[in-house]
Amino acid sequence: MLELTAFAAPLSSGLSSGLVPDWMHADSLIASFGPYALIGIVIVVFIETGLLFPFLPGDSLLFTAGLLVAQSELDFPLWLLCLLIFLAAFLGDQVAYFIGRTIGPKLFDRPDSRIFKQQYIDHTNAYFEKYGGRTIIIARFVPFVRTYAPVTAGVGKMSYRHFVSFNVVGALMWGVGVTVLGYFLGNVTIVKDNIELILVGIVGVSVVPVAIELLRARLGKGASPADGSQAHARVEPTDVEG
């Protein structure tokens, strides 16, 4: 773990001097957990998926964790990492679903805050309209949408049985799939020889969706009240069954 910390420090310092804070760097975030890296990774996954805080390195965290296990920078087995990430992703969506089911309407009616933005729900609604209940699976791979999809499903009174089914598949494909992908790519020679460049690329890719959402938020402030009122449509139960 000391090697990982030493490795992450110069890489992160070079990036964080710009627009990206340290906690958006998956490698730096993992290194900051020290010997509790496994616990830290699991907590971050749970927070992003279950506690309405989308500003965390979800995809890049999973990929980097798998990659670092392959590089023997993390001293726990892949199966344990995948199991705990799956549980964190599954339970996180369960919590978010019940938040939406119980206090969701109040959240939808409240003014925008730093974390909760009505437009995030609007974007998620658009996914439900297009994909139905499959949004719970697809949203796993879309920053921001994966945080609010289970909440929207809860507000729309999506059948719990359907939700659990989609949640299991989504947590498996995203939580385990992305982690395993990082692990096996970490064993590829070209990846081993260019680990620093790859981690820089991961950070860059993970920041792009956040930058786009922030830009949309700024542009959205200029929308007319009429446009805003139309965007606040609720999700009906029939919209999310899929």
Side-chain angles (χ1 to χ4, degrees):
M1 185 58 66
L2 290 177
E3 293 179 1
L4 174 59
T5 305
F7 163 75
L11 174 62
S12 298
S13 62
L15 290 168
S16 60
S17 58
L19 299 175
V20 186
D22 284 342
W23 50 266
M24 283 296 295
H25 304 166
D27 59 310
S28 178
L29 184 61
I30 293 173
S32 71
F33 295 139
Y36 304 103
L38 180 59
I39 297 175
I41 292 169
V42 171
I43 290 176
V44 169
V45 171
F46 179 80
I47 290 175
E48 188 193 13
T49 57
L51 300 182
L52 306 185
F53 191 81
F55 304 100
L56 290 170
D59 302 319
S60 60
L61 181 72
L62 302 182
F63 187 91
T64 302
L67 189 151
L68 292 176
V69 168
Q71 296 286 325
S72 299
E73 295 287 354
L74 297 176
D75 56 356
F76 41 79
L78 177 66
W79 69 264
L80 180 59
L81 175 64
C82 288
L83 174 62
L84 294 182
I85 286 177
F86 168 79
L87 291 175
F90 174 79
L91 293 176
D93 264 26
Q94 293 295 112
V95 170
Y97 174 85
F98 284 110
I99 288 176
R101 189 121 183 169
T102 55
I103 64 174
K106 295 181 181 179
L107 288 177
F108 275 58
D109 292 335
R110 66 179 295 183
D112 284 353
S113 64
R114 284 184 175 272
I115 295 177
F116 182 88
K117 300 288 186 183
Q118 179 64 41
Q119 73 175 75
Y120 300 156
I121 296 295
D122 297 335
H123 293 164
T124 306
N125 286 344
Y127 273 84
F128 272 111
E129 290 175 3
K130 184 174 183 179
Y131 301 109
R134 291 173 296 168
T135 296
I136 301 300
I137 299 174
I138 298 169
R140 289 286 189 176
F141 301 90
V142 185
F144 289 87
V145 176
R146 69 168 154 259
T147 299
Y148 294 102
V151 180
T152 306
V155 172
K157 299 297 189 290
M158 180 181 188
S159 163
Y160 181 70
R161 179 173 61 84
H162 282 94
F163 175 78
V164 170
S165 300
F166 288 125
N167 189 16
V168 168
V169 175
L172 185 64
M173 292 179 63
W174 178 70
V176 177
V178 176
T179 304
V180 170
L181 180 64
Y183 178 85
F184 283 107
L185 287 182
N187 282 317
V188 176
T189 302
I190 190 173
V191 175
K192 290 182 179 180
D193 294 341
N194 297 278
I195 181 68
E196 293 188 17
L197 180 61
I198 289 173
L199 288 178
V200 170
I202 291 173
V203 172
V205 170
S206 65
V207 168
V208 169
V210 177
I212 292 175
E213 290 299 333
L214 291 176
L215 179 60
R216 285 179 176 176
R218 289 183 178 277
L219 295 176
K221 289 181 180 179
S224 65
D227 293 338
S229 62
Q230 292 177 0
H232 283 232
R234 296 291 184 269
V235 179
E236 298 297 330
T238 53
D239 292 333
V240 296
E241 289 299 329

